[in-house]
Structure formats: C-alpha cells, structure tokens
C-alpha cells in the first residue's frame, strides 16, 4: 500500500491509501475549493487539499513527477 499525506478540512494531516482512490473531484464550501476523494460508490471523504494538490501527491507517489 502507498499512502499520501493531505490536509483534512480542519488543517490536520490525513493519510490516504492511494491504491483505494477511484475518483478525485471538488466541492465549493463557502467559497473555498475542497477536494473530494471517492473510494467507491458509497464512500467519499472531503479533504482540505485542492484537486491539484491531490493529483500532485498521487503523481509523486506513483513516480509520475
């Protein structure tokens, strides 16, 4: 398993298992873009990191940078 460290909504670090991520999208919460990571059809988590930050972290772990 490979993990990435992102920001939770409260700014604290959160570890995400990259192999479980299926989708990355965004949501606007009070004018602030937040990333939404989908694991399957019924499990998602909103993170304080933007979509660009999530994609960059995943690419770094996958060796795509």
């Amino acid at each position: 398993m490979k993990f990435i460290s992102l920001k939770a909504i409260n700014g604290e670090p959160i570890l995400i298992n990259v192999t479980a991520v299926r989708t990355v999208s965004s949501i606007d919460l009070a004018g602030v873009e937040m990333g939404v990571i989908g694991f399957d059809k019924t499990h998602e988590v909103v993170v304080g990191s933007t979509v660009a930050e999530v994609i960059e972290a995943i690419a770094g772990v996958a060796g795509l940078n």
Side-chain angles (χ1 to χ4, degrees):
M1 285 189 276
K2 294 184 178 185
F3 291 88
I4 54 174
S5 179
L6 300 173
K7 292 182 294 187
I9 292 177
N10 65 0
E12 295 291 321
I14 183 172
L15 289 176
I16 302 290
N17 178 356
V18 174
T19 59
V21 174
R22 298 294 174 253
T23 61
V24 179
S25 58
S26 66
I27 188 171
D28 185 306
L29 294 176
V32 177
E33 179 192 346
M34 300 284 186
V36 179
I37 298 175
F39 299 101
D40 57 34
K41 290 183 180 185
T42 58
H43 295 90
E44 295 179 327
V45 65
V46 177
V47 294
S49 302
T50 64
V51 171
E53 292 168 335
V54 173
I55 299 298
E56 183 178 327
I58 291 172
V61 167
L64 302 175
N65 284 5

